[in-house]
Amino acid sequence: MTGAFFEEVEVGFKAESPGRTITEADLVTFAAISGDYDCLSADEEFARFTEYRGRVAPPLLGPCILSGLAYRTGLSVKVLAFSGGEWKFHGDIRIGDTLRVRIHVLQKRDLRGREGGMVIEQWDLINQRDELVQEARVSLLVAKRTVGS
Amino acid sequence: MTNVARYWEEIGVGEEYLSPGRTVTEADIVNFAGLSGDWNVLHTDAESMKHSLYGERIAHGLLGLAIQAGLSARAMPRPFETLAFTGLRWRFKGPIRIGDTIKVQVRVKEKREGSMPDRGLIVLSRQVSNQRGEVVQEGEMDLLIARRPTQ
């Protein structure tokens, strides 16, 4: 496993990923994997007569893209488990949008005697117009260098 | 139309649905790694994972979240007239392993009028469990649902 151990994670650290352009193929692939063919994302003829005026990405594609971008921020940690999080979906993601993620390490909590410690991070998903599209506060269980410390 | 979506007024607190099962396969994990770009060894390196606390590769937590979305759609006899999905609170409680069969139970937890007259809020609670009945993921989603047009 590459990346930083719990002991090395610095509270206050900030990092930004490169961009990723969301394509029609991403929407189709997400529908294929999830089995969720919601008309807003999968039916252009339906979607263009809604207030969105065209297909938008399923909101859950955001966390999925974000998780991959998070590894490309330069902030790499040895994740043992993804414990959970709270997401807010502020705006839509459209085909052709280019997304980046900004990560901010908010908090660290040692779990005595466990193989990992909890790291709380803020993940902001930003588009090409610098609009905050989604934000999340996530809890990650990160491996310790020395078990039982 | 047979599968007409339901307005906010037609949705009742306490409604409950149980989805069919879906067996999570190695292919699902490989596809999800490709789509997300999350190639963490937890999900993609069988050899390293033999020596981990899981003993094998496990599914991405977010793959479970994606699959439950599709299962939920199959659980509900009629979809909601959803205008927006605004929030999610989610816990990944246990691993999903290759070969596990998961189901989702959906419950309408709360219903509130919003600040806009044409839509209302619905809070759904969802619980994802495996073939042994263990809850592997659970949480809540906030949806804005269209109200029945007046006139």
Side-chain angles (χ1 to χ4, degrees):
Chain A
M1 257 195 285
T2 56
F5 284 104
F6 177 74
E7 290 85 343
E8 295 148 7
V9 175
E10 276 178 64
V11 173
F13 185 85
K14 289 182 181 175
E16 188 169 315
S17 75
R20 176 167 164 186
T21 305
I22 303 305
T23 68
E24 185 177 42
D26 293 318
L27 271 66
V28 173
T29 306
F30 189 81
I33 292 173
S34 67
D36 185 0
Y37 288 87
D38 187 89
C39 295
L40 266 180
S41 310
D43 181 343
E44 177 62 26
E45 289 307 310
F46 170 85
R48 74 191 176 101
F49 295 108
T50 67
E51 62 188 42
Y52 294 99
R53 298 174 190 280
R55 276 169 301 168
V56 289
L60 291 179
L61 178 62
C64 159
I65 299 285
L66 199 154
S67 66
L69 284 176
Y71 282 98
R72 299 170 61 201
T73 55
L75 172 72
S76 167
V77 293
K78 293 183 192 295
V79 178
L80 292 176
F82 188 3
S83 306
E86 206 176 316
W87 280 261
K88 287 181 186 147
F89 305 115
H90 298 295
D92 27 285
I93 300 169
R94 291 175 173 273
I95 295 166
D97 279 356
T98 299
L99 304 177
R100 282 169 295 139
V101 56
R102 283 192 197 130
I103 292 187
H104 184 189
V105 180
L106 296 176
Q107 213 184 320
K108 262 173 86 164
R109 216 170 55 237
D110 196 354
L111 305 170
R112 295 241 172 101
R114 295 277 302 275
E115 64 280 294
M118 205 58 88
V119 174
I120 316 286
E121 295 182 357
Q122 171 82 21
W123 290 356
D124 289 341
L125 194 63
I126 317 282
N127 68 15
Q128 67 278 16
R129 290 179 297 276
D130 258 329
E131 295 159 346
L132 179 65
V133 190
Q134 299 189 354
E135 62 178 317
R137 188 161 290 202
V138 298
S139 308
L140 304 167
L141 186 68
V142 177
K144 287 183 193 169
R145 181 179 293 282
T146 38
V147 179
S149 63
Chain B
M1 288 233 293
T2 51
N3 208 15
V4 188
R6 294 192 292 162
Y7 290 114
W8 184 80
E9 286 81 354
E10 300 166 70
I11 302 163
V13 172
E15 281 180 29
E16 227 167 23
Y17 305 99
L18 181 65
S19 79
R22 177 168 160 188
T23 306
V24 179
T25 68
E26 182 180 43
D28 292 317
I29 297 175
V30 174
N31 285 334
F32 192 83
L35 173 66
S36 65
D38 179 352
W39 295 94
N40 191 306
V41 296
L42 282 170
H43 320 300
T44 58
D45 182 342
E47 288 304 314
S48 302
M49 290 306 289
K50 277 183 194 166
H51 312 292
S52 72
L53 73 161
Y54 301 109
E56 60 178 324
R57 283 165 297 171
I58 57 167
H60 304 73
L62 292 173
L63 171 60
L65 181 61
I67 288 178
Q68 71 75 34
L71 286 173
S72 297
R74 293 167 62 198
M76 301 221 214
R78 282 171 64 199
F80 296 163
E81 198 62 75
T82 306
L83 296 175
F85 176 14
T86 57
L88 168 71
R89 294 166 292 285
W90 202 252
R91 288 177 62 209
F92 304 101
K93 302 181 72 175
I96 298 173
R97 298 168 188 273
I98 295 168
D100 278 357
T101 299
I102 59 173
K103 287 181 178 183
V104 61
Q105 182 154 31
V106 184
R107 188 171 168 275
V108 179
K109 191 192 171 200
E110 212 180 310
K111 206 177 146 172
R112 279 202 307 269
E113 293 187 19
S115 49
M116 292 165 86
D118 66 334
R119 58 198 63 191
L121 180 78
I122 293 278
V123 180
L124 293 180
S125 68
R126 296 191 185 185
Q127 218 170 41
V128 182
S129 49
N130 65 17
Q131 68 278 15
R132 288 179 297 278
E134 299 156 348
V135 175
V136 288
Q137 301 192 358
E138 66 182 354
E140 290 179 3
M141 300 185 178
D142 304 327
L143 302 174
L144 291 177
I145 312 289
R147 301 190 65 156
R148 189 184 295 119
T150 47
Q151 75 181 217

